[in-house]
Amino acid sequence: MIKNFFLVFFLFLGLNSFAQNVDFGIQAGYTNVEVEANAKGGTQVSADGSGFYVGFLADFQFTENWHLQPSVNYFNVEETDFLSIPVLVQYYIENSGFYLQAGPQATIVLEDVPTTNEFGLDAAFGVGYHITEDFFIEARYGIELTNRYTDESIEFAEQYDTDIKSGVNTLMVGVGYKF
């Protein structure tokens, strides 16, 4: 654990030395989570739920147009707690206030859910708009790249000759403020 802390700390220092400017901020908003499970033979099950998210961010400005924004967000949907850790590259469209963003996102289930892996890796992308220099709105969507089923459920699937794949996709729409 301490080794991971120092790794993140030195990575932060390294990014800070390359960035022209670093801002910190907070964000919050609405989230929607869709859970999908697909089985061999075409059977598909999906469910979704809505909730809220809150989080902290760092914004590393490398040029006027290119930023890197890692953040840590807690979100709750249907009484299930999650942690989302996106690391998004942002491209600011000149003189418009709009930006595009994309990058990897880790999604962690903070509760014990049977037959589900706690950790998932997503591909996230979205858009945003700076209302003022510090105040912004944004929307992003994360598509799960990993299979959430655990080894126990894979054994179940093999026993019944089926191939089960499951994922959690997220939509986040919110506001933020940079200090």
Side-chain angles (χ1 to χ4, degrees):
M1 180 70 171
I2 291 177
K3 188 171 25 171
N4 290 339
F5 171 77
F6 282 114
L7 177 66
V8 170
F9 178 74
F10 287 118
L11 179 63
F12 175 76
L13 285 179
L15 285 173
N16 193 17
S17 66
F18 287 110
Q20 292 180 4
N21 189 24
V22 179
D23 293 319
F24 297 94
I26 55 174
Q27 56 190 7
Y30 165 82
T31 189
N32 182 276
V33 172
E34 179 183 34
V35 179
E36 294 181 346
N38 299 306
K40 185 171 150 185
T43 305
Q44 181 175 358
V45 176
S46 73
D48 66 6
S50 298
F52 70 93
Y53 75 94
V54 294
F56 299 97
L57 64 92
D59 182 22
F60 297 91
Q61 179 182 353
F62 294 105
T63 68
E64 190 172 316
N65 298 90
W66 292 99
H67 293 231
L68 180 68
Q69 183 176 295
S71 62
V72 176
N73 302 294
Y74 163 83
F75 63 100
N76 180 284
V77 174
E78 303 293 325
E79 299 182 15
T80 303
D81 298 322
F82 296 87
L83 197 61
S84 156
I85 307 170
V87 180
L88 304 174
V89 173
Q90 298 177 326
Y91 176 75
Y92 282 77
I93 300 168
E94 292 191 39
N95 301 323
S96 69
F98 287 97
Y99 59 90
L100 305 173
Q101 58 186 352
Q105 172 177 285
T107 304
I108 302 165
V109 180
L110 298 176
E111 299 177 12
D112 186 26
V113 179
T115 70
T116 301
N117 286 324
E118 295 171 350
F119 179 83
L121 183 63
D122 308 345
F125 57 91
V127 297
Y129 178 73
H130 271 269
I131 297 169
T132 68
E133 187 176 324
D134 298 324
F135 187 67
F136 64 92
I137 58 173
E138 69 178 17
R140 72 173 169 268
Y141 190 74
I143 300 172
E144 181 104 46
L145 301 175
T146 53
N147 188 359
R148 286 289 182 146
Y149 273 121
T150 62
D151 292 336
E152 296 87 35
S153 59
I154 290 172
E155 290 172 11
F156 172 83
E158 289 172 352
Q159 179 182 356
Y160 291 99
D161 190 32
T162 187
D163 185 22
I164 300 174
K165 298 202 183 311
S166 175
V168 176
N169 298 330
T170 58
L171 170 69
M172 294 180 158
V173 179
V175 297
Y177 184 81
K178 296 178 187 173
F179 306 112

